[in-house]
Amino acid sequence: MRAILVRETGKPEVMRIEELPSPTPGAGELVIDLEAVGVNPVDTYIRSGAQGYAPKLPYTPGLDGAGIVSAVGKGVTQLRPGDRVYIAGSLSGTYAEQVCCLEGQVHPLPKSLSFAQGAGIGVPYGTAYRALFIRGAAKPGDVVLVHGASGGVGLAAVQLAAAVGMRVFATAGTEEGRLIACSAGAHAAVDHHAPEHMDELLGQLGQSGFDVILEMLANVNLDRDLTALARGGRVVVVGNRGRVEINPRDLMGRDASVLGMTLMHASPEELGRIHAALGAGFERGVLNPIVACELPLDQAPKAHHWIMEQPARGKIVLMP
Ligand code: NAP
């Protein structure tokens, strides 16, 4: 089978297509023929060895994907060859024609979703769910800001928050991104590159501040986020690419909190609950992954350039 292999960390071009043996499933494992592969920012950090990542080389990148089960190992009870599935994590890496996974990493893909949409579920929706409900403890009726709503995680968060009756505000860097965020369920969206964007949001709010802010770029926004929280409000740091100075008095005056969130800390039991909830949302059509573009697998380097350098408008997906 064809797969991307990284033999040394570095720029996107270190990802090259190679011919590798097809995986065979061990006990409790499945092999999936991949139709679509999700590209996430973390794939670029691991590939470049940034943010403390030191991958064991050589390796095939990728955590997300969707396809059809082709083989199951002993003890697999919930899925069978021929099932349409999406993947949230794997044993062998998803930038490939085939992938080997543990049964708990594979979930049914509803008929209403395309494979490309299925490739945009694992990291983005898992992260959005854990940040919003588990770390942020957001509840129906809360006022939520998704700060960076045009990308994979942000759009998932907008859909999840809107689906359970939160009042959702959003930011995006382009007009297209703001329109997508509003069609995903945001009440209003502003430009996070505009210096006064937080004042504009607070003006529209009609209350003192946000109950929860999901933050995609904390090093740029955290200091100002703290001034935009309601009493008892929470900022959940989902994304961060540098250092930031804050005034802790902004927290004291509001009984407010800043919470970190890393999806990789979710236990298998927690992930099971998250994907049960997501599956119900996909089945009933209230959640709907948004695909920005589809590229052939051998254009993985271009996908890594785009996800780090271009404005977001949903998920970038590779098609093996
Ligand atoms: P993505 O699809 O590349 O989207 C990036 C988002 O960040 C876009 O909405 C972009 O908006 C927004 N952004 C750019 N400049 C911003 C600013 N000044 N203020 C606020 N937002 C800004 O990435 P993603 O998959 O949604 O992930 C978002 C971030 O979360 C990344 O940093 C990623 O590494 C991180 N993440 C963390 C976890 C975790 O476990 N903690 C899991 C998944 C992702 P425009 O392009 O419209 O400007």
Side-chain angles (χ1 to χ4, degrees):
M1 65 140 183
R2 289 160 73 244
I4 295 280
L5 209 63
V6 173
R7 293 188 175 276
E8 53 172 342
T9 55
K11 55 191 183 346
E13 289 68 28
V14 298
M15 293 187 289
R16 295 207 183 86
I17 289 269
E18 297 200 22
E19 194 64 38
L20 298 183
S22 287
T24 46
E29 298 172 4
L30 304 86
V31 171
I32 293 102
D33 292 345
L34 286 164
E35 300 283 342
V37 175
V39 176
N40 290 293
V42 69
D43 304 343
T44 75
Y45 313 150
I46 298 170
R47 183 218 73 232
S48 62
Q51 315 244 16
Y53 287 100
K56 193 165 170 284
L57 299 167
Y59 78 99
T60 295
L63 301 164
D64 291 347
I68 295 172
V69 176
S70 59
V72 299
K74 255 194 181 158
V76 171
T77 55
Q78 302 299 313
L79 293 160
R80 288 182 302 195
D83 285 349
R84 295 174 94 246
V85 292
Y86 73 87
I87 290 148
S90 78
L91 297 170
S92 60
T94 57
Y95 286 29
E97 289 176 338
Q98 292 182 305
V99 64
C100 186
C101 298
L102 296 170
E103 188 174 18
Q105 295 171 322
V106 185
H107 307 278
L109 180 67
K111 282 199 182 65
S112 56
L113 296 189
S114 68
F115 289 116
Q117 288 179 297
I121 295 175
V123 169
Y125 279 85
T127 299
Y129 189 98
R130 191 164 192 263
L132 191 64
F133 297 114
I134 298 176
R135 295 296 286 148
K139 296 177 286 302
D142 279 355
V143 182
V144 173
L145 171 61
V146 181
H147 213 164
S150 48
V153 176
L155 285 168
V158 169
Q159 291 180 359
L160 283 163
V164 300
M166 295 174 199
R167 201 160 154 236
V168 192
F169 291 80
T171 74
T174 63
E175 184 61 31
E176 187 183 8
R178 294 189 283 281
L179 283 173
I180 298 172
C182 288
S183 59
H187 289 78
V190 303
D191 179 2
H192 44 228
H193 301 310
E196 307 304 327
H197 73 273
M198 199 57 98
D199 296 336
E200 194 183 335
L201 281 168
L202 290 172
Q204 295 184 22
L205 211 55
Q207 68 171 60
S208 60
F210 297 100
D211 299 302
V212 176
I213 298 177
L214 298 194
E215 183 52 63
M216 303 304 151
L217 200 56
N219 54 302
V220 173
N221 298 316
L222 186 62
D223 186 38
R224 220 167 358 171
D225 287 347
L226 303 185
T227 68
L229 287 172
R231 184 173 292 185
R234 287 86 67 200
V235 178
V236 184
V237 177
V238 176
N240 180 63
R241 292 179 183 166
R243 299 183 69 84
V244 62
E245 187 177 307
I246 62 162
N247 183 352
R249 189 156 285 280
D250 293 326
L251 290 167
M252 292 160 60
R254 295 173 172 79
D255 282 353
S257 320
V258 179
L259 301 146
M261 201 301 294
T262 294
L263 180 62
M264 285 176 197
H265 292 165
S267 64
E269 191 268 333
E270 190 176 284
L271 286 172
R273 281 190 280 117
I274 290 172
H275 286 282
L278 294 176
F282 296 126
E283 279 288 350
R284 282 154 189 75
V286 290
L287 302 177
N288 196 28
I290 296 167
V291 176
C293 66
E294 298 175 10
L295 294 170
L297 182 62
D298 61 7
Q299 292 194 23
K302 183 187 273 186
H304 277 207
H305 278 293
W306 283 3
I307 198 165
M308 296 307 280
E309 295 160 17
Q310 297 209 346
R313 48 190 180 90
K315 286 302 299 177
I316 299 173
V317 172
L318 298 169
M319 308 301 275

